[in-house]
Amino acid sequence: MPEDEQPAGKVDPTVPSVARMYDYFLGGKDNFSADREAAEHIVRISLETGSDIREIARANRGFLIRAVEEAAKSGVRQFLDIGTGLPTQNNVHQVAHRIIPDAKVVYTDNDPIVLVHARALLADNPDTVIVDGDTRDPKAILEAAAAHLDFSQPVAVLVVAVFHFLADDEEVARIVQTLREPLVSGSYLIISHGYIEENEGIPERLAEAQDVYRQSSSGAMIWRDRETVRGYFDGLELLEPGVVPAQDWRNDEQFIPPGLEKGGVLGGVGRVP
């Protein structure tokens, strides 16, 4: 994105945005030079520590696609995608509509560029909207979503690659609990979260990566372990194979790209009984 083609809203192109960095990892073009510089820094760190953030981003996208397909095939007709990021291929509404053409989808994000791009993409799609919402205020998100979704019926709530940008464990637990409260039987909770394999002996490089994210719009990057992520699904029917690396969640592909061996994204899907 040229520096002089900025959308309306409070956008500082000198501050890296995690949404635009993620867009860069996926090969997108909707990013500024500061985003590309920060993203390349993370790419270098990931490669030097035995992983590849670009493959991790693709694995996360693949998990989202398969999880949405699973929910839609089960009959869920409503989706709430929190912290959606910039539009790319196989967005939630596109995946859901292949199975349920009239599925309703609400996206939320608070990045001005995400909001502008998504509204343009969805202008002719009455069943899909995006609302301005901050993950830290889940009650406001639910209230805004309730104008478009019927919470007396099953809803699939997605929080994909978002919680690792929130450093406070108690805050994340509170957000999860708030998002779960209105969900009726048959609803789904879909979460992915960054992780690093233990005892890799690379704390200096992880600290360097965290420094990059501290200077971005997120202000934090936290890796949590599998048990912590699994805890977000307590009381739900955790679908097989449980909380696993995103590329392993119900993936029929025989070839898994290299660069995912020492860390990446954990994914899990829980169903409200």
Side-chain angles (χ1 to χ4, degrees), residues 127-266:
D127 290 324
T128 307
V129 300
I130 186 165
V131 298
D132 188 348
D134 189 328
T135 307
R136 293 177 176 85
D137 191 354
K139 288 186 178 180
I141 286 176
L142 292 171
E143 290 172 0
H148 307 279
L149 304 177
D150 178 3
F151 280 94
S152 71
Q153 300 297 316
V155 177
V157 175
L158 296 95
V159 194
V160 174
V162 173
F163 285 145
H164 47 233
F165 296 124
L166 301 179
D168 189 322
D169 291 343
E170 292 185 0
E171 181 180 34
V172 174
R174 174 187 61 81
I175 293 169
V176 171
Q177 183 60 37
T178 301
L179 293 175
R180 287 176 50 168
E181 285 175 358
L183 301 183
V184 300
S185 178
S187 296
Y188 282 75
L189 179 64
I190 300 168
I191 295 175
S192 70
H193 195 297
Y195 81 105
I196 295 290
E197 290 291 347
E198 296 181 0
N199 302 319
E200 288 301 330
I202 49 174
E204 298 84 1
R205 305 318 307 276
L206 296 185
E208 185 179 344
Q210 288 176 320
D211 285 342
V212 174
Y213 280 106
R214 286 192 189 97
Q215 298 171 42
S216 74
S217 60
S218 76
M221 178 61 180
I222 301 296
W223 292 274
R224 294 183 171 93
D225 60 32
R226 197 173 306 204
E227 288 303 315
T228 299
V229 177
R230 188 180 289 113
Y232 301 150
F233 299 97
D234 284 351
L236 302 182
E237 296 174 355
L238 187 59
L239 273 60
E240 292 294 338
V243 174
V244 297
Q247 65 274 12
D248 295 333
W249 198 89
R250 301 198 176 187
N251 189 358
D252 294 330
E253 295 183 11
Q254 295 183 349
F255 173 73
I256 301 296
L260 299 169
E261 296 87 354
K262 294 188 177 182
V265 173
L266 294 169

Side-chain angles (χ1 to χ4, degrees), residues 10 14-15 25 32-33 40 43 56 68 82 90 109 116-117 132 142 149 154 158 173 175 183 188 196 204 215 220 235:
K10 297 180 179 180
T14 67
V15 177
F25 295 145
F32 297 131
S33 59
E40 279 296 333
V43 169
I56 291 170
V68 170
I82 297 173
N90 286 310
D109 209 291
V116 167
H117 279 254
D132 188 348
L142 292 171
L149 304 177
L158 296 95
I175 293 169
L183 301 183
Y188 282 75
I196 295 290
E204 298 84 1
Q215 298 171 42

